[in-house]
Amino acid sequence: MTSSTPRPGDSPRPTKAERRDSAREQARAMREQQAKRDRRNKIVAIGGLSAAVVALVAVVAVIVVQANQPGIAYSADDVDSITLEDVAAPSTAEPSGAIPVGADGAAGEPAAEDDVVVSVYFDYMCPYCGMFEDANDAELETLREEGGVTVEYHPLAFLDNQSQGAEYSTRAGNAAAVVADQAPEQFSAFHSALFENQPEEGTKGLSDDEIANLAEEAGVPQDVIDEFTATAPDADWRTFAPWLAANNNQMKSDLGKLGTPTVLIDGEEFSGDLYTTGPLTEAIEAAKG
């Protein structure tokens, strides 16, 4: 038979009351752990909901800002047919849409009767226009300063869709047009600066502030720079956006195409190498005779 008498070293058997108290203590501890887990889960849930609310508010704010942001590019129903006769142009622009620059480097100096006229069609987002400027900008400046050559600049804005919705072609073209209109002495320097700092096609391009900084460095007065983001009267687009759209249409009408860079010498398209320094200069010198 097995004895029920405790042996030396055995732990005494808990009494019924002790077992009850132990069970109550374990139950209390389990309740506290569950309460802690519940509080932690509640905090996480509230945090996640708060983050979702903040994100939603941010999205709504962006939508509201975009909805109330002034337009940039000309977007009326007649965008594909608007003509230069229909729009306000920079004061220094010719009826053809060109901005002439002569020996003194200021916009608006018309060509003399015997001048060789070099017409350059470009878009500030066009990478090939950037390559053209790298090769020929300094050459054209030298030819102008020597006399007998007038360069006519035709700014276009048909690559707005290559700047992720930021409409860089119009923003840059409009800024250049404002400078030509109100600070013609700084037009050449600003035009060169835009190409020297040309953004890659497919990016959003330079911001309005970055364009403004380039203009300031080129000597454009601050009151003129302030007009870069102004809109046309009773319209949602920037001041000279319709003029840029009309220039697009004028090129298609005059040359039967819309492509840049395109260069004419006395009205005849130059078919030589546009991206190497020398060939265009030689052709212009030959035209001077």
Side-chain angles (χ1 to χ4, degrees):
M1 294 181 61
T2 303
S3 174
S4 61
T5 302
R7 295 193 298 262
D10 286 347
S11 297
R13 179 184 178 87
T15 66
K16 184 176 180 179
E18 289 173 337
R19 291 197 300 271
R20 184 180 63 244
D21 291 342
S22 176
R24 287 177 177 174
E25 178 62 25
Q26 289 178 357
R28 185 191 63 77
M30 292 176 64
R31 287 195 300 272
E32 287 184 355
Q33 284 186 328
Q34 184 61 45
K36 289 180 179 178
R37 284 195 294 268
D38 290 344
R39 286 195 298 270
R40 184 172 62 251
N41 292 340
K42 185 177 181 181
I43 291 171
V44 170
I46 292 173
L49 179 60
S50 300
V53 170
V54 170
L56 178 60
V57 170
V59 170
V60 171
V62 169
I63 292 173
V64 170
V65 169
Q66 289 178 341
N68 291 283
Q69 186 177 18
I72 294 173
Y74 184 67
S75 56
D77 292 339
D78 64 346
V79 65
D80 293 325
S81 60
I82 191 171
T83 67
L84 290 168
E85 289 78 15
D86 301 327
V87 301
S91 58
T92 54
E94 299 284 352
S96 64
I99 297 175
V101 178
D104 65 1
E109 182 181 352
E113 184 176 352
D114 295 331
D115 276 2
V116 173
V117 177
V118 182
S119 305
V120 181
Y121 294 79
F122 62 92
D123 185 306
Y124 283 113
M125 179 56 96
C126 166
Y128 292 100
C129 296
M131 293 168 59
F132 168 80
E133 291 289 328
D134 285 345
N136 297 286
D137 185 44
E139 296 284 292
L140 290 174
E141 181 179 3
T142 299
L143 289 167
R144 284 192 294 97
E145 291 175 348
E146 290 175 348
V149 175
T150 294
V151 180
E152 293 185 341
Y153 293 95
H154 294 256
L156 308 173
F158 67 97
L159 293 177
D160 277 330
N161 61 354
Q162 297 299 313
S163 54
Q164 301 182 26
E167 297 176 326
Y168 179 71
S169 295
T170 292
R171 291 192 294 113
N174 177 76
V178 170
V179 173
D181 181 58
Q182 299 183 35
E185 294 82 6
Q186 282 76 47
F187 172 78
S188 294
F190 182 51
H191 169 84
S192 297
L194 284 171
F195 275 115
E196 288 168 2
N197 297 273
Q198 185 185 42
E200 291 186 11
E201 187 178 33
T203 68
K204 289 186 177 181
L206 304 178
S207 68
D208 287 336
D209 286 343
E210 289 171 326
I211 292 174
N213 289 339
L214 292 180
E216 183 179 7
E217 292 171 2
V220 179
Q222 185 60 50
D223 61 331
V224 177
I225 295 173
D226 291 342
E227 295 299 312
F228 287 0
T229 56
T231 55
D234 302 319
D236 291 331
W237 42 74
R238 295 197 176 174
T239 304
F240 292 114
W243 179 73
L244 293 167
N247 261 351
N248 294 345
N249 297 333
Q250 188 67 40
M251 182 180 186
K252 288 187 285 187
S253 175
D254 290 345
L255 304 182
K257 67 175 183 179
L258 184 59
T260 56
T262 295
V263 179
L264 312 181
I265 300 176
D266 286 339
E268 296 293 326
E269 185 170 353
F270 175 67
S271 58
D273 183 356
L274 291 172
Y275 311 114
T276 302
T277 302
L280 179 61
T281 301
E282 293 171 3
I284 295 171
E285 293 283 12
K288 288 174 66 176

